[in-house]
Amino acid sequence: MQHATIEELRGALERASYLPDEGLATALFLALRLEKPLLLEGEAGVGKTEAAKALARATGARLIRLQCYEGLDVAHAVYEWNYARQLLHIRAAQEGTVDEAELFGREFLIRRPLLEAIESELPVVLLIDEIDRADDEFEAFLLEILSDFQITIPELGTISARRRPIVILTSNRTRELHDALKRRCLFHWIGHPTLEREIEIVKLRVPDVPARLAEQAARFVERLRTIDLAKPPGVAETIDWTQALAALGQRELDAGLVESTLGSVLKYHEDFQLVRDSDLVALVAEARSGR
Ligand SMILES: Nc1ncnc2c1ncn2[C@@H]1O[C@H](COP(=O)(O)OP(=O)(O)OP(=O)(O)O)[C@@H](O)[C@H]1O
Ligand SMILES: [Mg+2]
């Protein structure tokens, strides 16, 4: 489904339970309109992966996801020959002979996410998640796909996309990506949301949460981000934490409960200690009073 304006797309994303800010909504709109890959960078838990998933829901496209990791290769990302089937085929044809072309036909191909996305007749959002975890060589290999939307299989020839998938790449920036890759993509940095937006996100994601609890939790987390933490909490942590507090029947923050549930927000022991040793009671009071 095409959305004529940024506002329309934003509305569709909201109905898909995702609240982008103006900048992200614009970037996603342009990715659709220009059919250009979009690279989303940002810290952990700011909504990079979910942006791609929500875009698929909002446009009625199928989501195809490639999770990147060190050592990811063509056999897992693009295609692989199904040796077992090829062997069976040879055995079944024992009497006759099998020529090579027959063995390397499409029915013996195992399609991995990139090939699936290129071959799809239906609209696809292709999520290439955490590209910074893949090796340099794989990144270089992606260039052909991202610029020409085609894949070359030596035994079969070049397969071109019948319709271009919408490609969203995400990176946590554990390493810099190559300029050649960046040049082929639109780019958007997702930062932490404003307080107002984060409250809205929490309300959207934690059904039936008391409004006051959502506000106080978001305010508390926002304040935590100003402390020098090893890993500042993302929206994901705010959501998890509010969910935990709501599950405990909490309607507001209180210092004792904050201390015992802080593990949902801070995932490093040093961060936990830092916050506990700063004036937790004062921090909670601040979040409660809204100052
Ligand atoms: N703008 C938003 N609207 C709605 N939900 C959001 C938004 N941003 C983040 N979230 C929620 O926060 C959680 C974390 O998001 P997501 O997994 O996409 O983060 P990420 O940036 O991919 O993190 P990581 O780098 O750890 O993979 C998800 O549950 C997602 O629904
Ligand atoms: Mg992610």
Side-chain angles (χ1 to χ4, degrees), residues 48-50 65 129-130 170 172:
K48 302 181 295 295
T49 302
E50 190 61 29
R65 178 176 186 171
D129 214 9
E130 307 188 350
T170 79
N172 272 24

Side-chain angles (χ1 to χ4, degrees), residues 60-62 64 116-125 162-166:
R62 177 178 160 210
I64 297 181
E116 282 242 35
I118 289 287
E119 280 197 328
S120 175
E121 308 256 354
L122 297 170
V124 161
V125 169
R162 272 163 245 180
R163 65 189 303 157
R164 288 189 168 200
I166 300 304

Side-chain angles (χ1 to χ4, degrees), residues 27 29 65 67 72 119 121 133 146-147 167 199 223 260:
F29 180 80
R65 178 176 186 171
Q67 175 63 53
L72 174 64
E119 280 197 328
E121 308 256 354
R133 286 173 188 253
L146 295 184
S147 45
V167 184
I199 294 170
R223 179 69 171 80
S260 57

Side-chain angles (χ1 to χ4, degrees), residues 110-214:
I110 302 174
R111 291 168 174 75
R112 303 293 188 200
L114 294 181
L115 182 58
E116 282 242 35
I118 289 287
E119 280 197 328
S120 175
E121 308 256 354
L122 297 170
V124 161
V125 169
L126 171 63
L127 165 61
I128 303 179
D129 214 9
E130 307 188 350
I131 176 67
D132 52 328
R133 286 173 188 253
D135 314 304
D136 281 7
E137 300 82 69
F138 185 74
E139 203 184 311
F141 169 81
L142 268 185
L143 292 178
E144 181 193 357
I145 298 182
L146 295 184
S147 45
D148 305 332
F149 290 90
Q150 63 181 35
I151 287 169
T152 303
I153 300 178
E155 296 88 349
L156 287 179
T158 298
I159 299 175
S160 301
R162 272 163 245 180
R163 65 189 303 157
R164 288 189 168 200
I166 300 304
V167 184
I168 307 287
L169 300 108
T170 79
S171 163
N172 272 24
R173 241 177 142 190
T174 54
R175 67 173 174 85
E176 274 301 319
L177 302 176
H178 291 278
D179 285 344
L181 182 85
K182 287 188 173 169
R183 216 178 318 118
R184 283 165 177 79
C185 300
L186 302 166
F187 174 79
H188 182 75
W189 173 266
I190 305 188
H192 295 296
T194 60
L195 178 62
E196 290 68 34
R197 183 175 307 282
E198 188 150 12
I199 294 170
E200 289 312 309
I201 294 172
V202 170
K203 286 180 179 167
L204 188 70
R205 289 282 167 161
V206 188
D208 303 328
V209 66
R212 190 151 354 145
L213 181 62

